[in-house]
């Protein structure tokens, strides 16, 4: 008996482990790392707990009616049960939940935000344009990555030039749509350091599923250093292959779509590549960030990401691809 029950328990334990591993990780609404996400998770647990209690009550009543007291009940008792359990109870439960959920909302939206910088995020097809605006009037752009200091409220200003997207970092906050012709706002207030994954949560076209990003939450010192570094022009290594890559980049017309600050490349169609080698991922969290991924992306962009505007450069000789990739990776 003992042996058979432990055998039976194995698949159940595996299933439970699977369910529980879905609850943590860098993109989980339940493994929270932000003030808004904590409130949302709290609401979820109250609702989940309430749903379980009500479900158990219904099961108990059903068992009672079918097996324990299967005889006919009085019409009065039946009416009491229908009006009490079917009308009054749902009204009260839903009203309480609604008031509780509404009471959580003001805390998600108000309060003083960071005055050190403002972040604008624009949903592109299919990547994220990120612009930091600093109080001295300067600004800089990067892509598919947002860095934040831990414990600070930051307002993200969201927009889109063409199709609808939705900005969502489940561990830190709720989601907010990015609607062409409108500006929407979302406050992020991270409570711990780490790297968290965000995703587009609204179907936006061919590569919707390949439109993700990372939010890196840093300690104050590291964040300030990062901010200073990002606003500086790109600096690449002094290495023959890197120099060759830079020449190719500037001569092959890459600068018509991409900017590398400090060079004459100043295109604005695609992502700013000034510090692309220092980012967590490539192609909106589709590829790792290393030399071979750069080569792969440059040669097979539309295979990696269907519908991407970046053309494939399969025609480039291997030596040129390697040089371009080395230059990209050197842009730290
Ligand atoms: Cu952008 Cu879905």
């Amino acid at each position: 008996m003992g042996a058979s029950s432990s055998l039976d328990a194995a698949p159940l334990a595996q299933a439970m482990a699977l369910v529980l591993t879905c609850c943590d990780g860098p993109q989980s609404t339940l493994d929270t790392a932000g003030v808004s996400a904590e409130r949302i998770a709290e609401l979820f647990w109250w609702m989940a707990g309430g749903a379980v209690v009500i479900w158990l009550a219904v099961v108990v009543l059903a068992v009672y009616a079918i097996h324990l007291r299967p005889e006919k009940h009085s019409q009065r008792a039946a009416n009491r049960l229908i009006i009490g359990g079917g009308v009054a109870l749902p009204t009260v439960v839903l009203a309480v939940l609604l008031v509780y959920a509404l009471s959580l909302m003001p805390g998600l939206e108000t309060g003083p935000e960071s005055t050190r910088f403002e972040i604008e995020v624009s949903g592109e097809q299919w990547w994220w344009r990120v612009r930091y605006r600093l109080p001295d009037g300067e600004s800089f752009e990067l892509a598919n990555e947002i860095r934040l200091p831990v414990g600070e409220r930051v307002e993200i200003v969201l927009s889109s030039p063409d199709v609808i997207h939705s900005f969502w970092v489940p561990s830190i906050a709720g989601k907010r749509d990015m609607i062409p012709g409108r500006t929407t706002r979302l406050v992020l207030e991270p409570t711990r350091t780490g790297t968290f994954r965000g995703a587009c949560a609204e179907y936006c076209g061919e590569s919707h599923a390949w439109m993700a990003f990372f939010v890196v939450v840093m300690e104050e010192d590291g964040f300030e250093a990062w901010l200073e570094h990002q606003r500086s022009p790109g600096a690449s290594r002094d290495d023959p292959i890197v120099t060759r890559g830079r020449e190719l980049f500037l001569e092959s017309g890459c600068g018509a779509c991409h900017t590398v600050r400090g060079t004459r490349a100043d295109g604005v169609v695609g992502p700013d590549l000034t510090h692309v080698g220092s980012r967590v991922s490539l192609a909106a969290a589709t590829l790792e960030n290393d030399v071979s991924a750069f080569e792969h992306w440059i040669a097979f962009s539309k295979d990696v990401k269907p519908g991407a505007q970046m053309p494939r450069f399969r025609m480039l000789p291997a030596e040129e691809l390697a040089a371009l990739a080395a230059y990209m990776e050197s842009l730290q």
Side-chain angles (χ1 to χ4, degrees):
M1 177 70 190
S4 99
S5 66
S6 71
L7 275 178
D8 293 341
L12 185 67
Q14 277 173 358
M16 284 302 291
L18 194 68
V19 168
L20 291 174
T21 50
C22 297
C23 298
D24 58 18
Q27 192 181 322
S28 168
T29 46
L30 300 180
D31 190 8
T32 59
V35 172
S36 300
E38 279 167 10
R39 291 206 173 99
I40 292 166
E42 193 183 305
L43 177 64
F44 168 80
W45 286 118
W46 275 107
M47 287 184 139
V52 168
V53 168
I54 291 171
W55 177 75
L56 284 175
V58 170
V59 169
V60 167
L61 276 176
V63 170
Y64 172 80
I66 295 167
H67 295 292
L68 302 181
R69 299 280 301 273
E71 77 271 20
K72 199 169 185 290
H73 289 64
S74 76
Q75 189 61 40
R76 247 180 106 192
N79 284 348
R80 266 211 309 270
L81 189 65
I82 290 169
I83 292 168
V87 180
L89 186 68
T91 307
V92 170
V93 168
L94 291 176
V96 168
L97 277 176
L98 180 68
V99 169
Y100 172 56
L102 290 176
S103 76
L104 292 176
M105 285 172 75
L108 303 180
E109 302 300 335
T110 56
E113 276 97 37
S114 172
T115 50
R116 282 190 292 170
F117 56 90
E118 187 182 277
I119 304 175
E120 295 168 359
V121 179
S122 168
E124 308 286 328
Q125 293 182 48
W126 283 270
W127 57 281
W128 310 83
R129 187 189 297 276
V130 178
R131 178 168 286 278
Y132 281 67
R133 292 199 181 277
L134 307 172
D136 58 9
E138 267 198 57
S139 69
F140 64 83
E141 203 174 292
L142 70 156
N144 306 321
E145 189 164 309
I146 294 171
R147 298 213 180 199
L148 299 172
V150 67
E152 200 163 321
R153 286 174 71 90
V154 178
E155 189 179 56
I156 313 280
V157 182
L158 303 164
S159 64
S160 168
D162 37 42
V163 298
I164 194 167
H165 305 272
S166 187
F167 178 96
W168 192 24
V169 197
S171 309
I172 300 180
K175 66 179 91 154
R176 185 73 24 106
D177 282 356
M178 309 167 91
I179 304 158
R182 280 214 228 164
T183 302
T184 47
R185 288 159 195 276
L186 182 72
V187 173
L188 300 185
E189 186 175 356
T191 50
R192 61 183 166 93
T193 58
T195 300
F196 306 97
R197 194 171 185 276
C200 181
E202 183 76 51
Y203 181 70
C204 54
E206 270 175 295
S207 277
H208 157 71
W210 303 111
M211 186 171 176
F213 61 104
F214 285 100
V215 174
V216 183
V217 180
M218 308 173 81
E219 295 291 352
E220 181 58 37
D221 293 354
F223 176 75
E224 275 301 330
W226 176 84
L227 204 64
E228 274 312 304
H229 181 65
Q230 288 291 313
R231 65 195 285 182
S232 68
S236 52
R237 283 195 312 274
D238 231 359
D239 186 331
I241 189 169
V242 169
T243 308
R244 168 91 175 116
R246 183 166 49 231
E247 283 167 15
L248 281 166
F249 184 86
L250 296 173
E251 284 160 13
S252 313
C254 305
C257 291
H258 295 286
T259 291
V260 175
R261 281 173 267 138
T263 74
R264 64 172 189 275
D266 60 358
V268 294
V269 178
D272 184 304
L273 300 178
T274 306
H275 297 287
V276 68
S278 69
R279 293 179 197 154
V280 177
S281 73
L282 292 187
T286 305
L287 300 172
E288 305 272 310
N289 188 347
D290 56 32
V291 174
S292 64
F294 274 115
E295 281 188 38
H296 188 65
W297 172 251
I298 295 167
F300 301 104
S301 51
K302 284 177 192 288
D303 303 296
V304 173
K305 189 172 273 202
Q309 288 185 38
M310 163 108 174
R312 294 182 191 95
F313 288 92
R314 276 184 302 194
M315 75 301 272
L316 292 177
E319 172 267 324
E320 293 190 3
L321 265 182
L324 275 171
Y327 173 52
M328 291 290 100
E329 191 272 333
S330 78
L331 291 170
Q332 290 292 321

